[in-house]
Amino acid sequence: MPKRFPSHRSAGSRAVRRGLGLGGWVAVGTTALVIGSSLTAYGAYYDIYGNISQETVDTDAWDRPTKVEGAINIMIIGSDVRSGDNAEYGGEIEGERPDTLLIAHISPNHDGAVLINLPRDSVVDMPSCEPNGDRPGMDAHRGMINSAMNYGGVQCQWKVVEQLTGIHIDHFVSVDFTGFKEMVDAIGGVEMCIPEPVDDPKAHLTLEAGEQTLNGEQALGYMRSRYGQGDGSDLSRIDRQQVFLGAMLRKVMSGEIMSSPSSIYSFLGSVTDSITVDDQFTVDKMTDIAIQMREVDLGNIKFLTVPNGAHPDDENRVAWTQPDADQLFQAIANDTQIVEDEPEEDEAEESAEEAPTVDPSQVSVEVINGTDTPGLAGTVGTELQGKGFVLAGTGNPQGSVPGRTTVYHGPGMEAHANTVAAQLKKAVVEESPLLGSTVQLVISADWDGLKGDSSSSSTEVLDSIDAKTAEETESAC
């Protein structure tokens, strides 16, 4: 029988604890159990993990995506409820909504891990959730992805993430704010480059510009800071979090920490005392994951955010870009390697010469279906809309169809046509004096789809995704 975690806290009677879960999980998933074997007493190793709190989740309550053997997917959550030691970071907020929501995909088949941010401001089509304890449940509706937690707790949030992404979630992890501070202090702080001075009263953060080592209190403020840095958006904050967590991961994996039993024990203690997991996430399963991750290079741990853009109804909210988002989810669900192929030198030069010079939102495009595939113009038009283009209409050709898929443009609109062509696998660009400001995409028999669409091979790069490895997140002044 697997050994269960003893707990002096009642997990069923309290809310899931607040967290910056990505930092906790990256640290735990890639180091905690890997270095646990270096502890002299196996009993001490189990004693550390006995601090973890648990919560029961009934995953039989909904139809679930198929699990791919070998791969592990962890839902990372953190809550906007702030009380006790956390109350100073923004004051009390009604309800409980994840401040951070991610999927950690651990792939033994590809010797690495991918951590996908699901922005909390994402507006999505939410499935219904049954009442759960003191949570009222919710009807199916369109809303912000993080509101599921407030209506139905972790169980509802788990269901929402699975049904939106098609990814089988194996476990969840939550890490609270106070624990995050303790993690940073346990490793002696994290070195960061702060490009510009920061003064964010809401995050209780004041920093000078330049290279410096952030302690736990400063690190928490840096991770929480939104309005004192960048453009004030959640996406901008996610980028900074990825940089910080990459630096933290490098520090944890460094020889200085790994060679110090006291530092290891202190770090593991701060992690495990601050996290909540589902009651099926046993220490033995964590050990299995750690064994899988033992030889993983930092270059094979990738941070990315689901492809997205401003929501058409509210620029302060996020809409997932399709079909890119679904293609990413499908790759993760099937444990498919996302390969970034380097272009041939000639192709790279040609691509640079034809690089689009117009924002898609400024391009009006009409899509004409010159093939025998019914509804293709509508499908392609929707995909272009998902990439930010303005769809002027769809239809069938009134005359002859060119032998190659062609983007036609009026005088002075070549850059607009090139912007459309850059999204297609195969297309030529031609001028038509009969056209005005709207460009026209005529799909012909050689049609091969949009770059990154659902028909793409598993080895094609997802152009819209800016993936960073743990090595590449390093910041320099």
Side-chain angles (χ1 to χ4, degrees), residues 72-96:
I72 302 292
N73 299 306
I74 315 292
M75 180 176 69
I76 312 301
I77 61 175
S79 173
D80 252 347
V81 174
R82 305 190 190 108
S83 58
D85 292 337
N86 297 326
E88 61 183 295
Y89 295 96
E92 290 291 334
I93 294 179
E94 292 297 324
E96 182 177 8

Side-chain angles (χ1 to χ4, degrees), residues 222-457:
Y222 184 81
M223 296 285 283
R224 289 284 303 142
S225 177
R226 178 169 178 173
Y227 300 104
Q229 302 182 71
D231 60 7
S233 70
D234 191 44
L235 297 175
S236 176
R237 181 175 63 168
I238 286 173
D239 288 340
R240 291 192 300 275
Q241 288 178 348
Q242 290 176 347
V243 172
F244 181 88
L245 293 168
M248 181 177 177
L249 180 57
R250 288 190 298 274
K251 180 68 175 288
V252 172
M253 297 295 286
S254 70
E256 176 186 351
I257 301 299
M258 297 284 278
S259 62
S260 170
S262 62
S263 294
I264 292 172
Y265 199 92
S266 177
F267 177 74
L268 292 179
S270 65
V271 171
T272 57
D273 191 44
S274 306
I275 71 173
T276 299
V277 301
D278 59 278
D279 62 358
Q280 298 302 307
F281 202 8
T282 64
V283 71
D284 301 279
K285 290 182 179 179
M286 291 184 182
T287 304
D288 290 341
I289 293 174
I291 291 172
Q292 293 174 0
M293 295 291 292
R294 181 160 43 201
E295 302 301 327
V296 170
D297 186 88
L298 290 178
N300 287 333
I301 300 176
K302 294 183 172 63
F303 300 85
L304 56 89
T305 301
V306 61
N308 67 82
H311 196 279
D313 297 332
D314 185 348
E315 63 180 11
N316 295 315
R317 296 290 179 257
V318 171
W320 294 349
T321 302
Q322 299 295 358
D324 296 354
D326 282 347
Q327 185 187 2
L328 169 63
F329 296 145
Q330 184 179 10
I332 296 299
N334 296 331
D335 193 26
T336 300
Q337 179 75 57
I338 301 174
V339 177
E340 298 187 8
D341 297 324
E342 293 295 332
E344 297 292 336
E345 184 175 352
D346 290 342
E347 292 176 347
E349 291 178 357
E350 182 179 353
S351 175
E353 292 174 357
E354 297 179 355
T357 58
V358 180
D359 188 279
S361 65
Q362 303 300 313
V363 180
S364 175
V365 57
E366 179 186 23
V367 183
I368 303 298
N369 181 11
T371 74
D372 295 329
T373 304
L376 183 58
T379 300
V380 173
T382 300
E383 292 176 344
L384 288 172
Q385 277 186 306
K387 291 178 177 291
F389 291 88
V390 177
L391 183 61
T394 61
N396 297 315
Q398 300 299 314
S400 61
V401 176
R404 302 171 65 184
T405 295
T406 304
V407 183
Y408 293 100
H409 65 88
M413 303 301 291
E414 183 176 4
H416 292 66
N418 284 336
T419 304
V420 175
Q423 300 294 329
L424 314 179
K425 294 179 185 176
K426 291 181 180 178
V428 295
V429 175
E430 291 187 14
E431 181 172 341
S432 171
L434 300 179
L435 292 177
S437 61
T438 295
V439 301
Q440 187 180 74
L441 167 61
V442 180
I443 303 173
S444 193
D446 68 340
W447 175 250
D448 198 25
L450 277 69
K451 294 177 180 177
D453 68 10
S454 56
S455 64
S456 301
S457 69

